[in-house]
Amino acid sequence: DAGVIQSPRHEVTEMGQEVTLRCKPISGHNSLFWYRQTMMRGLELLIYFNNNVPIDDSGMPEDRFSAKMPNASFSTLKIQPSEPRDSAVYFCASSTGGGTLNTEAFFGQGTRLTVV
Amino acid sequence: AQSVSQHNHHVILSEAASLELGCNYSYGGTVNLFWYVQYPGQHLQLLLKYFSGDPLVKGIKGFEAEFIKSKFSFNLRKPSVQWSDTAEYFCAVNAKTSYDKVIFGPGTSLSVIP
């Protein structure tokens, strides 16, 4: 398996623009996580899905952020409008969760977002 | 709610020195425990994990960790570090419930001096 695939790897955008980050989880995994990593705040869990359903989105910073998982093999994290403070590395991870008690998360390579 | 704390923000060691990174978690129930490593500019990779059984677990690259339930701790150890171990180390926990939300500690940056 190719692992968790994220795109793009790097994104530079202007403040106010819409940004969409994409993630393809490992085939057969039914839990998907979006994390944000910054120097100041470390690794923050933004949202996670189980069987395509959002289970906990309490980490989503504000309404400008939204995430979807239309099917088992694809998820998006959208920021609209983007702001410079959104600059970070965004990681997607997946696992065989949801009723399976012993799981581990596999991470993608991340998307480095810079908002200027 | 679960939370994870790591004792050290930044550790600097010389090659061949022994390493121990502290990790404590707060959660009243049964948990899975992990250590992840992030090399500069790369994504997180699993170093080792504890699900059940022997509380001393061995991972890749000579790392091991010991789960002490009474202390809510899961410290990472390596007897002799190498320059290539320079990285950020994250302790993580998830509760053994139906949904496996993984919570990470703030990370410990390890710098190994040749």
Side-chain angles (χ1 to χ4, degrees), chain B residues 33-47:
Chain B
L33 295 157
F34 311 88
W35 276 97
Y36 281 83
V37 60
Q38 185 178 30
Y39 298 104
Q42 296 191 24
H43 65 296
L44 279 80
Q45 304 170 47
L46 185 69
L47 206 52

Side-chain angles (χ1 to χ4, degrees), chain A residues 19-30:
Chain A
V19 175
T20 299
L21 311 181
R22 297 172 176 80
C23 175
K24 181 181 187 307
I26 293 173
S27 178
H29 284 191
N30 55 4

Side-chain angles (χ1 to χ4, degrees), chain B residues 35 48 55-57 64-68 73-77:
Chain B
W35 276 97
L48 48 78
L56 184 63
V57 293
E64 65 179 31
E66 184 176 13
F67 171 47
I68 303 179
S73 69
F74 190 55
N75 293 353
L76 181 71
R77 298 194 292 252

Side-chain angles (χ1 to χ4, degrees), chain A:
Chain A
D1 198 310
V4 177
I5 299 173
Q6 292 185 246
S7 64
R9 291 292 306 277
H10 301 273
E11 176 81 31
V12 180
T13 190
E14 291 185 345
M15 182 174 63
Q17 296 297 307
E18 177 180 297
V19 175
T20 299
L21 311 181
R22 297 172 176 80
C23 175
K24 181 181 187 307
I26 293 173
S27 178
H29 284 191
N30 55 4
S31 283
L32 183 140
F33 311 83
W34 282 101
Y35 289 89
R36 178 172 67 177
Q37 185 178 37
T38 61
M39 288 290 292
M40 292 297 294
R41 302 174 71 93
L43 264 171
E44 303 173 274
L45 177 63
L46 300 178
I47 185 171
Y48 79 102
F49 296 84
N50 182 259
N51 291 326
N52 313 337
V53 176
I55 302 301
D56 185 346
D57 65 354
S58 59
M60 295 287 262
E62 47 197 276
D63 292 346
R64 297 185 297 107
F65 286 69
S66 63
K68 293 182 180 180
M69 192 165 185
N71 57 62
S73 59
F74 184 65
S75 176
T76 59
L77 178 67
K78 185 178 295 186
I79 309 172
Q80 165 64 16
S82 58
E83 297 182 3
R85 59 193 170 116
D86 301 329
S87 298
V89 180
Y90 291 81
F91 287 103
C92 176
S94 71
S95 73
T96 55
T100 302
L101 300 182
N102 294 339
T103 63
E104 64 193 73
F106 294 81
F107 281 77
Q109 296 282 342
T111 295
R112 181 174 296 277
L113 173 65
T114 303
V115 183
V116 299

